Amino acid sequence: MDFYKYGDYENLSSKLIKDIQSNLIDWYMKNHRKLPWRENKNPYYIWISEVMLQQTRVETVIPYFLNFINKFPDVKVLANAHEEEVLKAWEGLGYYSRAKNIHRGAKMICDEFLGVVPKTQNEIRKITGIGPYTAGAILSIAYDQAVSAVDGNVMRVFSRLFCIKEDIGENKTRKEMEKLGSILVSREKPSFFNQALMELGAMICIPKNPKCIACPLFSQCSGRELGVADDLPVKKKKITKREVDLEVALICNTDKFFIVKRSSEGLLANLWALPSIEKEKNMEDGKSILLKLKENYEMIVEKEKFLFQKEHIFTHLKWNMNVYRYKLIKNNLVDKDKNQWICIEDIEKYAFPTAFMKILKEIKKLV
Ligand code: SF4
């Protein structure tokens, strides 16, 4: 077997490259899943699906994708939509900055590229939120250009296939793998080649217990041959999550309760939520949020009782959300863009992040 020396991608044998290309593409043609964004080569569909698929499973993405393109069938409709509608369509997928970037990107495409997703690396990389992987996926799948599209799945396949032991969390490793991808990509069928690699990473060369026996690259794979496939790829240790105790206020006034729009910066920006704040150390339970309500909204409330606790986990953060019920005593504010009194039946009209949807579901049970 030809063993690849890390970084020596220029000297890969042409036979090995050809074998990898033809085995992968033949396998893909016979075995790929039918997915809604693969039904045609619409670059807008490829873009939306690839962004949704980042850190989210295919089965979860399908209904979101269908709903999204039903609501926003092309770049122009998306560009003209209100951010609130876009966030609503994204609700539950998490990582809301991705939805905001897609929206901004659609506006850029309309303003600078006459509503057509650009066809060159230089232009497409100018679009907000389109990084090297998404650019590669759009250019190769939609426009048949021989460019690499290297994400975490593809890096796992490359690490095993070529027995690469560098940390895939490092930027320089990703760059090397992108070079490797651009050497390997089929000049004749780049769309099928890149999709085949993605499909292989999702279906066969999976994170644990890769299905080598069913793999079209069985004979070319150094990692399998050397018995180290299971130990690859090498990944950095996970960053420990910061735990935050959050106080969340359910403030009731007759049959309505109070919601606020989160700040336009930072975590879950511009999404709707119940008022919340990190609990201050040494402060009595339920008091930190009471002070925030007075300071931010000139609202006087009286604590009634603790309701329940819910957890929510982000990439680097864990929220322990303690929900308290408060009675409204005095309320001066009216700013419908930033806060609202709503009935429980109205929650569908607002974009709430998953963390707060968990709370609202519990509240629904209590009503
Ligand atoms: S042979 Fe096994 S380890 Fe190698 S690419 Fe295929 S599934 Fe992955």
Side-chain angles (χ1 to χ4, degrees), residues 149 312 349:
H312 189 74
K349 297 178 193 159

Side-chain angles (χ1 to χ4, degrees), residues 157 160-161 200 204-205 210-212 215 217-218 221 224 229:
V157 175
R160 290 169 174 171
L161 186 58
L200 191 83
I204 302 287
C205 197
K211 302 172 184 173
C212 301
C215 181
L217 304 181
F218 182 93
C221 183
R224 180 206 55 78

Side-chain angles (χ1 to χ4, degrees), residues 6 166-167 169-178:
Y6 179 70
E166 308 300 309
D167 181 352
E170 297 266 343
N171 211 22
K172 62 178 194 294
T173 314
R174 174 179 287 272
K175 287 210 160 24
E176 280 301 324
M177 296 229 185
E178 283 167 2

Side-chain angles (χ1 to χ4, degrees), residues 294-349:
K294 193 170 176 193
E295 200 178 304
N296 290 14
Y297 309 110
E298 294 177 38
M299 185 181 267
I300 311 290
V301 296
E302 189 180 287
K303 185 170 126 188
E304 288 188 326
K305 60 176 175 176
F306 168 74
L307 290 176
F308 52 83
Q309 190 189 63
K310 281 272 155 200
E311 283 180 0
H312 189 74
I313 295 171
F314 300 93
T315 317
H316 303 296
L317 187 66
K318 182 179 166 210
W319 272 357
N320 300 316
M321 302 181 290
N322 295 297
V323 185
Y324 297 87
R325 184 182 162 116
Y326 295 85
K327 188 165 82 182
L328 179 71
I329 306 293
K330 187 170 159 237
N331 172 28
N332 287 330
L333 81 159
V334 182
D335 180 352
K336 287 191 185 312
D337 287 338
K338 292 195 177 144
N339 43 68
Q340 292 274 348
W341 287 93
I342 65 164
C343 298
I344 194 78
E345 296 78 28
D346 294 333
I347 60 175
E348 297 303 324
K349 297 178 193 159

Side-chain angles (χ1 to χ4, degrees), residues 52 64 67-68 71-72 78 81-104 261-264 266-273 347-354 357:
M52 285 185 170
Y64 278 97
N67 178 52
F68 197 90
K71 280 206 166 79
F72 315 111
L78 179 59
H82 195 278
E83 186 183 80
E84 190 81 15
E85 295 172 74
V86 180
L87 292 173
K88 185 71 196 161
W90 205 269
E91 187 183 277
L93 265 181
Y95 304 95
Y96 292 90
S97 56
R98 296 184 297 173
K100 289 174 195 161
N101 282 340
I102 280 184
H103 191 217
R104 279 185 213 126
K261 196 176 214 181
R262 292 177 63 87
S263 146
S264 59
L267 187 66
L268 309 178
N270 277 340
L271 293 167
W272 288 91
I347 60 175
E348 297 303 324
K349 297 178 193 159
Y350 298 84
F352 289 99
T354 307
M357 279 309 288

